[in-house]
Each structure stands twice: as structure tokens, then as C-alpha cells.
Amino acid sequence: MNERVENADIDMMTEIATLYYVEGETQEVIANRLGISRVRVGRLLKKAQAEGIVDVRVRQHPAVSAEIERELKQRFGIKRALIALDQGDTDAQRSAVASLVADHLARSLVEGSIVTVGMGRNVGAVADNVFTQGERKCSFVCAIGGSQRAGEYMNPDHICRRLAMKFGGDSETLYAPALVQSTALRDELYENRTVRQTLDRARRADLALVGVGDLSEDSNMVRMGWFSPQEIAEARLAGTVGDIMGCHFIDIHGGPSATPMQGRVIGLSLTDLARIPDVIAIASENTKAAGILGALRTGVVDTLATSVTNAHTIIHLDEATVTER
């Protein structure tokens, strides 16, 4: 197909999509109006979605999550909860949760805003679900170092770049590895001027996007080879239920867990995160309820983004473990 035909198809798809989705015309009316078959109208509407001309998203009614949000805010003192409807597979669930976060960013960001960005699939999915118009002229700064094994999609540097492209802002890389061999080496790197300058800017952020991890065999840390299966198993036995941003390992009560895995990642501390006005913790997988509960109990989370099932499980877990604190 030559360029002229491709452009003609794009023009027709745009016109059909506008008539159908914006003006509310039926496919039959559109077909008669344009002198083509109804079948072709249907095919072009589907192709318009595949080509990104049309973005169709089903939003839940606010009443669906309002009661759960109130309960979570009351229990954990958070500012808001973004609760996505349950989906049939993990990718769809991740996209549904990320879409709510992307909408929250679009509403919250203003010119000059700084967003500090963590690592992971859930954080990366936010950039894929930004559909907004108009430049914000804000900055996206890495909150943690990078990892070659994480790949482009999950690395904070690439997530920052994708978000900056979507919002029309700029991005700043943290030129340091995410994981180092020892706490001593981490402390030494913190003294590096380039590292210190980027982290100082990240500490001044208005919002933070962080993932909440679990210690399952499918966790990012295991797949990236940061820690061995034995280290993960020992951490679980020591009471570790998850992590915040891939570097702060926590128990069910929100305290730091007693594991040698602590203190080896270059990034913002929990104290740094606590000073940021809106820390958005994102977790879509149903394996992460205990990790999310621990994260909420740290007191650093301002906005929780997760699924309906996770929200209910978190509330039940909180009720079951509240007497253990």
C-alpha cells in the first residue's frame, strides 16, 4: 500500500470514528453517507482502534469504588485510593490500574511540577496509558538507579522519557546502578556529585510513582537476578512481605524487615518519600495484597492504585493482623 492510499485510509478512519464516537451516528447511517458498505465501516472502526486513532476506555462509575476508597482512607490515613475493576488477565489488570494513575497525573500536574519515578511493570504501564492533550512542561526524575536486566520498559530512565514525551516535559536520568554489592559501596556512590544532584532534585518532587513488590518467584527482583531464590526464601522466612520501589523491604506491619537484602539499592529513602506530597503506590497483581498492606502501614503512601479484589483483601488482612501490632 502506497503512502497516498495509507493517508486516505487514515483520513477515512478518522472521519468514520468522529461520526460514530463523537456525533453518535449509527454504522448504517455512516455507510450510506459515505457510500460504502456497513461491513467496511465496522472494519475501519476496529482498525482505527488498532492504529491508535481511537482510544476507547470503559470507566467505572464513581459509586463502585467510593465505599472502598472511604474505608481505605479511614483505615490508613491516605489521601485517595484509585480502585480499578477486576480484569480477566494480568496485563488487562495492570492497564486498568495504570489508566487510573495516568488520569490522576493528568489532573494533578501543572507547569513546573516534578514527578519522581520508580521502576517496574506497573509504573511503566502508566506511561502507556497517558492520553492527554496540551503540554504540562513538568519534569520526570528517576527515583532509583537503572538495571540492564530490567530492559527498557521497566527502567525508570525510559519510563521518565516516555512520560515526558506524553506530557511534553523533560526527564532526568539517575546515572547509577540500581543494585550494588554492599551498603558501603552504596554510601560511596551517594557522595558522587552527579548522583547527589539528581537525587536532590527527586527529593523536591511534588509526586512520586512507586511500585509495590512481592517476594514471589515472578517478582522483578528474581527475574532480573538481583537476588537468588535462596535469598528470597530466607527473606520470606524472616517476615518480609514485599518492598516499596524495589529497595525498601518491609514486614506486614510496615517496618523494615530483617534481611541482608536491605541497603544495596541506589535511590530515594523512605524518609525522602515521606516528604513528597503525593506518593502514588501502584500494585495491580493479586499476589501483592500483603505487600500493599505493609506499604500502607509505613505511612509514606498518599495515593493507592490497585484492584477491587486487592482492596478487599487488604481490608480483611488489616482486620486479621491489627491485634498483632
Side-chain angles (χ1 to χ4, degrees):
M1 185 178 289
N2 60 43
E3 185 177 351
R4 177 177 296 176
V5 175
E6 287 180 354
N7 288 337
D9 270 3
I10 291 172
D11 291 341
M12 181 167 282
M13 283 188 288
T14 303
E15 182 177 3
I16 290 173
T18 301
L19 289 170
Y20 187 73
Y21 290 107
V22 179
E23 298 184 13
E25 298 287 4
T26 65
Q27 293 186 28
E28 184 175 358
V29 168
I30 296 170
N32 292 334
R33 183 169 172 176
L34 299 180
I36 59 178
S37 69
R38 183 175 176 180
V39 172
R40 191 180 180 200
V41 170
R43 287 174 178 169
L44 287 172
L45 282 171
K46 290 182 179 179
K47 189 174 181 181
Q49 292 187 42
E51 294 292 332
I53 295 171
V54 174
D55 167 36
V56 178
R57 288 187 285 174
V58 178
R59 301 179 187 274
Q60 66 191 49
H61 191 279
V64 174
S65 60
E67 184 176 349
I68 305 174
E69 180 178 6
R70 283 195 298 270
E71 178 73 11
L72 291 169
K73 288 166 66 176
Q74 181 178 351
R75 280 180 177 269
F76 302 107
I78 59 178
K79 296 175 181 176
R80 65 190 64 81
L82 308 174
I83 309 299
L85 293 175
D86 293 331
Q87 303 295 321
D89 63 77
T90 54
D91 289 337
Q93 189 67 73
R94 187 174 299 118
S95 180
V97 173
S99 178
L100 295 180
V101 177
D103 288 347
H104 175 58
L105 284 180
R107 292 191 302 269
S108 303
L109 295 182
V110 296
E111 184 172 343
S113 294
I114 299 176
V115 182
T116 189
V117 179
M119 175 185 289
R121 289 172 289 186
N122 285 293
V123 178
V126 175
D128 294 338
N129 285 273
V130 174
F131 300 96
T132 185
Q133 295 181 346
E135 294 188 356
R136 298 298 199 281
K137 294 183 179 178
C138 46
S139 299
F140 298 89
V141 184
C142 293
I144 184 174
S147 171
Q148 186 176 12
R149 293 188 179 184
E152 290 188 3
Y153 185 80
M154 294 193 301
N155 256 308
D157 173 51
H158 292 275
I159 298 172
C160 282
R161 293 182 187 182
R162 299 204 308 273
L163 286 168
M165 186 179 299
K166 292 292 184 70
F167 284 104
D170 62 77
S171 65
E172 182 171 335
T173 301
L174 176 58
Y175 290 103
L179 179 72
V180 293
Q181 288 75 25
S182 66
T183 301
L185 180 55
R186 179 204 64 179
D187 293 342
E188 185 176 345
L189 282 171
Y190 276 151
E191 295 303 315
N192 178 274
R193 182 179 178 182
T194 301
V195 172
R196 186 172 65 249
Q197 285 178 342
T198 299
L199 286 177
D200 283 345
R201 193 175 186 209
R203 292 183 182 104
R204 298 195 299 271
D206 303 288
L207 301 92
L209 297 177
V210 300
V212 176
D214 58 10
L215 293 185
S216 69
E217 294 179 357
D218 189 46
S219 69
N220 289 336
M221 292 175 292
V222 174
R223 289 185 296 104
M224 291 188 297
W226 282 14
F227 304 107
S228 68
Q230 182 178 351
E231 287 176 305
I232 295 294
E234 291 173 352
R236 285 201 298 260
L237 288 173
T240 308
V241 296
D243 67 86
I244 299 176
M245 209 172 69
C247 54
H248 306 295
F249 299 96
I250 50 177
D251 61 26
I252 195 70
H253 308 297
S257 61
T259 169
M261 297 192 306
Q262 298 274 26
R264 292 169 53 192
V265 176
I266 308 296
L268 295 182
S269 68
L270 285 181
T271 301
D272 294 330
L273 289 175
R275 296 192 180 105
I276 295 173
D278 189 6
V279 175
I280 307 166
I282 315 165
S284 62
E285 298 83 354
N286 60 14
T287 59
K288 294 184 175 180
I292 298 169
L293 176 57
L296 288 170
R297 286 175 170 175
T298 65
V300 305
V301 176
D302 300 288
T303 298
L304 171 66
T306 192
S307 67
V308 170
T309 292
N310 272 344
H312 284 299
T313 304
I314 292 161
I315 291 170
H316 294 321
L317 277 175
D318 185 56
E319 291 173 346
T321 59
V322 68
T323 57
E324 299 175 9
R325 296 186 200 179

